[in-house]
Amino acid sequence: MSTKNYQNSKKNSNEKFHIHTTIPKQIKDLIDKYSDMEDKDGNKVFGKKSKVIERALELLDNYYNPKENGIDVIWCRAREELNMVLVGKTTFLSYISGNTKKAYTDNIAVEAVEWYNGKRIEEMDLEEFLNGLKGMWLTANYFRKIDIIKYDEGAIQMAFNHDLTREYGKFWAEYFKALLEKNLSCSVQKSIRNESFYLIIRQE
């Protein structure tokens, strides 16, 4: 690009336009909400209302033009619109081998939670690991909802909700039981329902 063309391009990118329009009150309230939003240090996240609108349009463009904006955007849309799931290669190979129980041992579940939490398993307590597991498996779109409840006697319940078969719940209940008992010295009791299952986890 020549110097002249670069200068013209830069000038065009900084050019401002007035847009006169009317908007519903609920949209105005949203713009006000995000223009007033502050981070933990009290700094404005977006600033002026025009910046809020600019950011909203950037996100809209990312959504409708995923090929131009990275595979992470494509994955988010595939997960939400096509109901696809994210599968580790070792687990996938266990599936197609016909020996699904092999996935209980041949998987990268620990590595996935470490990646999600940003720390090694040795640096996590049980609750941190469970929250990482929850975040990673929701991101991968295996469950509709995962709840974690801590009881006074030290037990922790994880409730997994899905919209598939009872066999699906049996598989994942055994998968997580094997994962936790092997890597975090836990005892795990499981209870299977039609579209949900529960784990009661106690650290030994």
Side-chain angles (χ1 to χ4, degrees):
M1 180 184 291
S2 68
T3 302
K4 183 177 180 180
N5 288 339
Y6 172 77
Q7 289 173 342
N8 288 337
S9 175
K10 186 176 181 182
K11 179 180 178 181
N12 290 338
S13 67
N14 292 326
E15 195 172 358
K16 303 292 182 181
F17 298 91
H18 290 284
I19 298 178
H20 301 282
T21 187
T22 56
I23 56 175
K25 183 181 183 302
Q26 65 190 47
I27 301 301
K28 179 185 179 299
D29 290 344
L30 281 173
I31 294 173
D32 291 340
K33 172 185 175 180
Y34 287 102
S35 63
D36 292 336
M37 181 181 285
E38 297 181 348
D39 62 20
K40 63 181 180 180
D41 298 317
N43 301 311
K44 295 285 187 182
V45 176
F46 300 105
K48 296 186 292 185
K49 295 176 182 179
S50 61
K51 294 295 183 183
V52 173
I53 295 171
E54 287 176 19
R55 182 60 179 144
L57 287 171
E58 287 173 359
L59 292 172
L60 187 65
D61 187 52
N62 283 345
Y63 186 84
Y64 281 103
N65 295 285
K67 291 182 180 179
E68 298 177 8
N69 296 291
I71 59 173
D72 55 333
V73 178
I74 297 174
W75 160 240
C76 289
R77 287 193 62 188
R79 178 188 61 191
E80 294 170 10
E81 297 174 23
L82 301 177
N83 201 27
M84 296 183 72
V85 297
L86 187 67
V87 183
K89 289 182 179 179
T90 51
T91 300
F92 178 73
L93 290 173
S94 297
Y95 294 162
I96 64 174
S97 73
N99 182 11
T100 55
K101 291 185 178 180
K102 190 176 179 183
Y104 299 160
T105 54
D106 291 4
N107 61 62
I108 58 166
V110 171
E111 289 84 351
V113 175
E114 289 178 332
W115 177 81
Y116 185 90
N117 281 346
K119 58 171 69 174
R120 301 279 296 173
I121 188 171
E122 294 84 6
E123 302 171 306
M124 298 180 219
D125 59 26
L126 177 60
E127 287 184 69
E128 283 182 294
F129 188 88
L130 295 180
N131 277 299
L133 185 152
K134 171 184 175 179
M136 193 64 206
W137 262 256
L138 285 175
T139 300
N141 198 30
Y142 283 102
F143 302 101
R144 290 188 291 107
K145 183 182 179 185
I146 302 174
D147 291 320
I148 299 176
I149 302 171
K150 186 176 181 181
Y151 295 110
D152 291 338
E153 62 269 24
I156 297 175
Q157 175 183 282
M158 292 191 77
F160 298 79
N161 293 276
H162 57 87
D163 53 9
L164 294 168
T165 65
R166 190 180 182 91
E167 288 301 314
Y168 183 84
K170 285 182 180 179
F171 171 84
W172 283 109
E174 191 59 42
Y175 181 101
F176 293 132
K177 175 179 168 68
L179 171 68
L180 294 169
E181 290 183 341
K182 176 182 177 182
N183 294 284
L184 287 128
S185 301
C186 296
S187 63
V188 180
Q189 294 176 289
K190 58 187 191 297
S191 176
I192 315 296
R193 309 286 175 82
N194 285 333
E195 293 189 355
S196 64
F197 65 91
Y198 300 82
L199 303 179
I200 303 298
I201 304 157
R202 292 181 175 84
Q203 198 157 30
E204 297 176 343

